Amino acid sequence: MARRDPHSYNDDLQPDVESLELLARVDFSHRLLHAEATLKLAAPSEGVLDLDTRELTIESVTAEDGTPLAHVLHPVEPILGARLSIELPAGTRAVRIRYRTSPEASALQWLEPAQTSGGQKPFLFSQCQAIHARSVVPLQDTPRLRIRYRAELTIPRELRAVMAAAHRGRTEQGELAIERYEMPQPIPPYLFAFAVGELSSRDLSPRARVWAEPAMIERAAYEFAEVERMIAAAEALFGPYDWERFDMLTMPPSFPYGGMENPRLTFLTPTLIAGDRSLVNVLTHELAHSWTGNLVSNANAEHFWLNEGFTVYAERRIIEALEGPESASLHDALGRRALEESLEDFRARPALCRLRTELTGIDPDEVYSQVPYQKGCLFLQALEQAAGREAFSAWLRRYLDAFRFRSITTDDFCAHIERELPGVLGKVDAPRWIDGEGVPEGAPKPRSRRLDAIEQLAGALPAEPLAQSWSAIEWQLYLESVPRPAPEGHCLALDERFGLTRSTNYEVLVAWLVLALQSGHHAVLPRAEEVLGAVGRMKFLRPLYVALARDPRTRPVAERAFERSRAGYHPIARELVERLLREARSAEQ
Ligand code: BES
Ligand code: ZN
């Protein structure tokens, strides 16, 4: 038996599934999908076909004509889930599986009406990255393999279903509606995505539309209005946009990520909606994935940096094109700080500080960090410096072209760049970046006048005219630069002058709350608790829970906030917070 992806039972000696036809009825009252998946094989096949599943109840496995097929659902493995082995008689072209999902499916969050902004209708969404698609569909859940799909979702008539795919129509029958979708471009399974809820939309350009719950749609349309300029800038840098449409879905507040690059329908946290477009770099990032990640994908999670490092690099190039080098440098600086923090968090697990990782037996969600993002981006910036901007940009276009709609490893990347830009890997000592820990000396350093102004303060109180001129990102950089614990007087003065506790910009607010909590400034506790109850984005939950739980005086606040909010958190976020609280308790003993 051969296996290439440590997070899948897929055996590369077995037949490849080429396309999926999915019929699913969305049952809000039992929180499950009743589904039938038909998997079509690339060629008539025979022998064993192993699929990934998690928490699925398998009702039948047949050939397309209904003939039962022998199959075994193996015992559950904690990270991988349960292998479903199907015996294919000679000449099999397709298998059909009838099944239902579990209310605990790790890819799905079922929201009560009260957890939505309208408060009237339930909501359901999927989040399949990294390895959760298998809890919705039995399939070869590895990005090494791409599939096309067609799907029909049966939902309550008063709701809409959206998918990261092309809409092919809606039919209404009595209380129900059927929404049909098709994904004509082959995608890795982690990009399978849908949502069901009360949704409205606004067109922002002929190929870009934003969806949101009605209560949010106006604000969402304003915040993301510049998306077409972003797409145009990205096309100028990386080549034509290959996915036809770029729509966006504004998620309910419990969405655990900032954004998710589901093709044709990027999912975005509502915490980006600051009212002034100051946090749209997350949208830029998800758009950039249309080239880096979705066109050229990592073959498995050990090469995750090929997805995220390239995307951060591409995001900064788009920002530079639209807002200038100064702005891009500020983002570089923020990224560098986040990287240093991740490296510090992984002190005890240095192997996770490499770009190429070894993840057998390791849950990719558990080791999610800024290393592949920011170290990956720095590595590419180092290569760019070594090769020169023009040569590097031209190489990048050729790389995207060579591997479009394919899934590759770090070795594929190395071979390509070595062939096209001979010597450049050696110039930056690439093995130290790829298989070494930490950041090599001589890594590119962000340079900008605005950054210097912040650094010169060394955390001291800024003069009001300076602070008034700051963008959200400069506020974040400043707040993160304040040495902690900051004296109580400093915290008081900052909050009095700049109203930070009242900030409605979540990035600024959370940077401030973390500084305040790490400084024992307990006046912010109610606001911190409020944030933990209002949003489920892990980027915010993590530092707030850690700051609260580390200090024995505020640990009860963390425990109480989690008790109150856990039911509303996404399954992945719930697991994260459980782990953080457990770690904090055991660090105490
Ligand atoms: N693809 C990621 C989100 C993700 C990664 C989900 C791994 C599940 C597993 C997405 O593109 C992302 O990186 N989002 C970032 C935004 C960003 C600007 C770095 C986030 O959510 O914070
Ligand atoms: Zn990303």
Side-chain angles (χ1 to χ4, degrees):
M1 181 167 66
R3 261 205 215 135
R4 291 219 212 147
D5 181 337
H7 300 114
S8 171
Y9 284 111
N10 171 241
D11 177 334
D12 65 354
L13 300 176
Q14 295 181 2
D16 293 347
V17 173
E18 198 177 51
S19 69
L20 159 71
E21 272 181 31
L22 181 69
L23 306 176
R25 182 159 62 81
V26 179
D27 180 346
F28 276 100
S29 54
H30 298 96
R31 300 193 155 195
L32 49 85
L33 307 181
H34 295 275
E36 181 183 292
T38 305
L39 306 179
K40 302 212 163 136
L41 304 173
S45 311
E46 151 168 43
V48 178
L49 176 68
D50 286 322
L51 301 177
D52 295 297
T53 78
R54 173 179 289 141
E55 299 158 327
L56 298 182
T57 304
I58 306 295
E59 288 158 358
S60 70
V61 180
T62 64
E64 257 185 314
D65 64 4
T67 317
L69 298 181
H71 61 278
V72 182
L73 187 62
H74 294 269
V76 176
E77 286 275 330
I79 297 170
L80 271 68
R83 171 158 57 118
L84 174 62
S85 299
I86 305 173
E87 197 67 48
L88 310 179
T92 304
R93 293 176 155 272
V95 299
R96 179 164 292 159
I97 302 164
R98 288 190 42 230
Y99 66 98
R100 57 177 190 270
T101 60
S102 151
E104 269 72 57
S106 58
L108 299 179
Q109 189 176 17
W110 301 82
L111 299 176
E112 295 294 335
Q115 292 170 273
T116 66
S117 49
Q120 302 299 316
K121 305 275 167 61
F123 198 101
L124 166 65
F125 68 87
S126 68
Q127 166 57 46
C128 290
Q129 200 180 14
I131 51 170
H132 302 287
R134 65 193 65 177
S135 75
V136 181
V137 195
L139 38 56
Q140 295 169 317
D141 193 5
T142 169
R144 192 178 73 76
L145 299 177
R146 289 172 176 266
I147 50 167
R148 297 183 166 84
Y149 69 84
R150 269 206 287 261
E152 283 189 20
L153 301 182
T154 302
I155 59 169
R157 183 193 187 117
E158 71 268 22
L159 303 180
R160 295 196 75 118
V162 290
M163 284 197 93
H167 194 215
R168 298 293 189 227
R170 172 183 169 109
T171 322
E172 299 185 345
Q173 290 171 354
E175 305 278 87
L176 299 175
I178 299 177
E179 303 252 28
R180 289 183 299 281
Y181 282 90
E182 181 181 0
M183 189 62 187
Q185 290 101 350
I187 55 152
Y190 73 84
L191 294 177
F192 175 86
F194 69 97
V196 181
E198 187 183 10
L199 291 169
S200 50
S201 70
R202 285 276 181 288
D203 283 344
L204 300 175
S205 87
R207 59 177 162 177
R209 168 180 302 162
V210 61
W211 291 91
E213 292 187 72
M216 295 293 282
I217 190 68
E218 291 303 331
R219 283 189 289 157
Y222 176 82
E223 210 73 26
F224 307 134
E226 307 214 308
V227 64
E228 183 57 41
R229 284 184 59 218
M230 285 184 196
I231 305 173
E235 286 189 304
L237 288 164
F238 312 123
Y241 179 73
D242 257 327
W243 304 86
E244 297 171 63
R245 295 199 56 87
F246 185 82
D247 295 340
M248 293 150 280
L249 175 63
T250 313
M251 303 300 286
S254 66
F255 185 59
Y257 293 98
M260 178 65 214
E261 67 274 25
N262 297 315
R264 291 166 172 261
L265 186 68
T266 275
F267 286 15
L268 296 167
T269 169
T271 62
L272 301 183
I273 302 182
D276 59 3
R277 301 179 182 166
S278 58
L279 304 178
V280 293
N281 78 291
V282 175
L283 168 57
T284 314
H285 176 95
E286 306 315 333
L287 169 66
H289 271 302
S290 307
W291 288 264
T292 51
N294 296 6
L295 263 194
V296 181
S297 309
N298 55 208
N300 65 56
E302 297 186 331
H303 309 281
F304 188 50
W305 80 273
L306 291 175
N307 272 21
E308 296 299 347
F310 268 82
T311 300
V312 174
Y313 171 84
E315 169 199 338
R316 304 270 164 76
R317 289 291 304 269
I318 299 170
I319 293 174
E320 185 191 309
L322 291 174
E323 300 173 19
E326 182 91 48
S327 180
S329 296
L330 294 174
H331 285 277
D332 281 339
L334 207 58
R336 184 64 201 252
R337 271 192 178 279
L339 174 58
E340 296 304 331
E341 242 173 67
S342 285
L343 295 174
E344 178 69 21
D345 290 346
F346 280 156
R347 253 184 345 255
R349 300 177 78 178
L352 296 172
C353 300
R354 305 176 186 167
L355 286 180
R356 171 163 49 198
T357 50
E358 280 166 25
L359 297 180
T360 301
I362 296 180
D363 180 345
D365 284 343
E366 197 194 313
V367 296
Y368 178 85
S369 84
Q370 288 297 309
V371 172
Y373 287 79
Q374 310 300 341
K375 183 176 172 182
C377 172
L378 270 181
F379 175 40
L380 293 169
Q381 290 174 335
L383 288 167
E384 175 183 42
Q385 276 186 6
R389 160 72 55 107
E390 213 176 309
F392 187 78
S393 300
W395 166 77
L396 183 54
R397 293 281 284 254
R398 291 198 299 274
Y399 165 86
L400 294 171
D401 204 46
F403 296 119
R404 63 197 286 278
F405 291 112
R406 290 179 55 191
S407 304
I408 65 169
T409 64
T410 303
D411 283 341
D412 296 324
F413 151 81
C414 288
H416 189 272
I417 195 166
E418 187 54 30
R419 194 170 61 236
E420 303 268 326
L421 297 174
V424 74
L425 288 176
K427 238 173 162 178
V428 306
D429 195 359
R432 279 198 59 201
W433 284 95
I434 294 172
D435 296 314
E437 291 137 18
V439 178
E441 309 276 305
K445 290 222 161 48
R447 295 237 48 83
S448 115
R449 285 194 6 258
R450 301 190 74 94
L451 193 59
D452 293 342
I454 295 166
E455 276 171 2
Q456 271 157 24
L457 280 174
L461 217 57
E464 299 218 10
L466 175 62
Q468 302 304 353
S469 79
W470 279 348
S471 61
I473 185 167
E474 287 167 293
W475 266 111
Q476 285 175 75
L477 284 163
Y478 166 72
L479 290 168
E480 290 182 6
S481 77
V482 176
R484 42 216 74 193
E488 178 68 5
H490 192 60
C491 291
L492 276 172
L494 268 176
D495 206 12
E496 242 171 57
R497 282 188 212 172
F498 305 112
L500 295 169
T501 305
R502 286 193 312 274
S503 175
T504 50
N505 184 303
Y506 270 100
E507 292 284 2
V508 175
L509 175 63
V510 172
W512 156 245
L513 292 174
V514 169
L515 165 63
L517 293 172
Q518 291 178 338
S519 307
H521 181 59
H522 289 172
V524 301
L525 283 172
R527 183 71 165 132
E529 249 188 292
E530 191 186 344
V531 172
L532 296 176
V535 305
R537 182 176 175 189
M538 295 191 286
K539 183 181 185 189
F540 301 144
L541 298 185
R542 183 196 294 265
L544 288 174
Y545 274 110
V546 168
L548 286 168
R550 266 200 195 142
D551 182 341
R553 291 170 303 168
T554 53
R555 171 128 18 100
V557 181
E559 304 274 5
R560 185 175 68 211
F562 185 50
E563 263 330 296
R564 275 195 203 143
S565 303
R566 60 174 302 148
Y569 289 159
H570 187 281
I572 303 173
R574 206 178 300 149
E575 250 180 62
L576 168 74
V577 178
E578 256 157 23
R579 179 161 51 82
L580 296 174
L581 293 178
R582 204 165 49 233
E583 283 168 5
R585 282 182 221 118
S586 69
E588 173 89 334
Q589 282 148 18

